[in-house]
């Protein structure tokens, strides 16, 4: 393990008793200006995320890469693997596992709660990790989790690659319920990117997610299609994320 990466145990338990795995941290190589929790996809872990992120030219960002609990996953016929929440077939009628979503969103918020107050915080992820990043962003705007408990992290940026938005159907009515909620929704920059040839989370779900967010009042939502890209990331896409984060978070050396 390289000198700028470290790992720590978790011990944090979700509401159903599933234990979150190891958390990997990539320390900033320069002045610490922002911290981003990055969330892996189904069956993956925080270690592979940290290796990808360590190579990005963002010296002012501290990356926190947790590992999801291992749990039975409906999509896999109940086979257990690392997953932020339970998920079935990705479809318009997908049933949201609110309990699982809330448990993971709370774990992420807990990881960010210890950051210094002058450091900007954000969330990003790939596939199922993008879904939980977007769910956390809706919790931030609403000021509460799905269960109603207060959400207290002041998110400043969200990145979602090859993912989808849980709870998209009812989002607009919830956001429009209060001026304060609408103000928070309008304040947070979000970038979504999706490959047009994605055969795991079909492209239309990425497009629909971006549209649902924008229609609900998340006015700073940007959607980037990648022609011919499957369910993976490519250097061009990560370069786009690097430039977007540097400008949105006002990092040193960014244009």
């Amino acid at each position: 393990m390289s000198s700028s990466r470290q790992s720590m145990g978790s011990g944090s338990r979700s509401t159903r008793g599933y234990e979150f795995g190891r958390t990997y941290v990539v320390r900033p190589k320069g002045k610490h200006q922002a911290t981003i929790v990055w969330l892996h996809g189904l069956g993956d872990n925080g270690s592979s995320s940290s290796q990808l992120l360590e190579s990005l030219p963002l010296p002012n960002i501290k990356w926190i890469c947790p590992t999801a609990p291992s749990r039975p996953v409906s999509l896999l016929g109940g086979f257990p693997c690392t997953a932020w929440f339970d998920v079935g077939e990705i479809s318009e009628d997908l049933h949201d596992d609110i309990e699982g979503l809330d448990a993971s969103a709370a774990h992420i918020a807990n990881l960010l709660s210890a950051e210094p107050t002058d450091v900007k915080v954000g969330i990003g992820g790939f596939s199922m990790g993008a879904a939980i990043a977007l769910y956390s962003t809706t919790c931030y705007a609403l000021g509460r989790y799905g269960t109603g408990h207060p959400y207290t992290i002041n998110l400043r940026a969200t990145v979602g690659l090859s993912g989808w938005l849980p709870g998209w159907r009812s989002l607009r009515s919830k956001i429009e319920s209060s001026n304060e909620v609408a103000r928070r929704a309008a304040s947070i920059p979000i970038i979504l990117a999706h490959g047009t040839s994605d055969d795991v989370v079909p492209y239309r779900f990425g497009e629909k997610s971006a549209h649902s967010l924008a229609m609900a009042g998340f006015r700073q939502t940007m959607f980037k299609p990648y022609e011919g890209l499957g369910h993976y990331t490519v250097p061009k896409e990560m370069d786009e994320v690097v430039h977007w984060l540097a400008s949105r978070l006002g990092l040193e050396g960014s244009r």
Side-chain angles (χ1 to χ4, degrees):
M1 186 174 291
S2 76
S3 60
S4 68
R5 280 198 294 138
Q6 65 189 77
S7 74
M8 49 196 183
S10 166
S12 170
R13 287 183 177 274
S14 78
T15 47
R16 293 179 205 159
Y18 298 126
E19 189 164 342
F20 288 88
R22 192 168 288 278
T23 295
Y24 296 80
V25 177
V26 180
R27 295 194 299 272
K29 298 175 183 71
K31 181 185 175 186
H32 183 197
Q33 292 181 294
T35 297
I36 295 177
V37 171
W38 190 269
L39 306 156
H40 62 76
L42 182 66
D44 209 342
N45 60 62
S47 176
S48 56
S49 299
S50 68
Q51 291 171 51
L52 167 70
L53 299 165
E54 188 180 30
S55 67
L56 300 182
L58 287 166
N60 307 114
I61 292 183
K62 170 185 173 182
W63 300 95
I64 301 177
C65 306
T67 301
S70 185
R71 68 173 80 213
V73 177
S74 298
L75 180 65
L76 307 176
F79 186 82
C81 73
T82 53
W84 298 109
F85 51 94
D86 188 30
V87 65
E89 191 72 34
I90 309 286
S91 72
E92 270 83 356
D93 302 317
L94 182 65
H95 171 72
D96 291 314
D97 170 21
I98 298 298
E99 190 182 2
L101 286 161
D102 272 356
S104 288
H107 181 66
I108 296 157
N110 190 47
L111 291 171
L112 288 172
S113 65
E115 291 304 292
T117 53
D118 62 337
V119 167
K120 296 169 182 173
V121 299
I123 305 181
F126 173 77
S127 191
M128 176 181 250
I132 193 68
L134 291 174
Y135 180 76
S136 295
T137 305
T138 63
C139 292
Y140 157 72
L142 294 167
R144 57 181 169 78
Y145 294 94
T147 53
H149 295 299
Y151 187 92
T152 57
I153 303 298
N154 183 24
L155 291 181
R156 301 293 293 272
T158 301
V159 179
L161 309 180
S162 308
W164 72 95
L165 172 67
W168 59 270
R169 274 192 206 81
S170 59
L171 184 59
R172 185 173 180 176
S173 60
K174 289 178 181 173
I175 297 297
E176 290 175 347
S177 66
S178 128
N179 288 337
E180 181 62 19
V181 168
R183 183 193 64 75
R184 282 196 297 268
S187 74
I188 184 163
I190 301 169
I191 185 170
L192 302 183
H194 216 108
T196 59
S197 298
D198 194 322
D199 57 351
V200 178
V201 181
Y203 173 78
R204 71 177 187 277
F205 290 106
E207 199 172 39
K208 183 189 284 288
S209 298
H211 180 71
S212 298
L213 285 163
M215 291 298 289
F218 291 84
R219 294 179 194 160
Q220 297 188 62
T221 303
M222 177 179 172
F223 181 67
K224 292 285 297 184
Y226 282 84
E227 193 64 40
L229 181 68
H231 196 65
Y232 48 87
T233 61
V234 286
K236 181 183 175 188
E237 183 182 33
M238 295 313 295
D239 287 348
E240 187 96 43
V241 169
V242 165
H243 292 301
W244 186 87
L245 282 170
S247 64
R248 290 301 181 279
L249 295 174
L251 303 180
E252 285 181 4
S254 65
R255 293 287 171 264

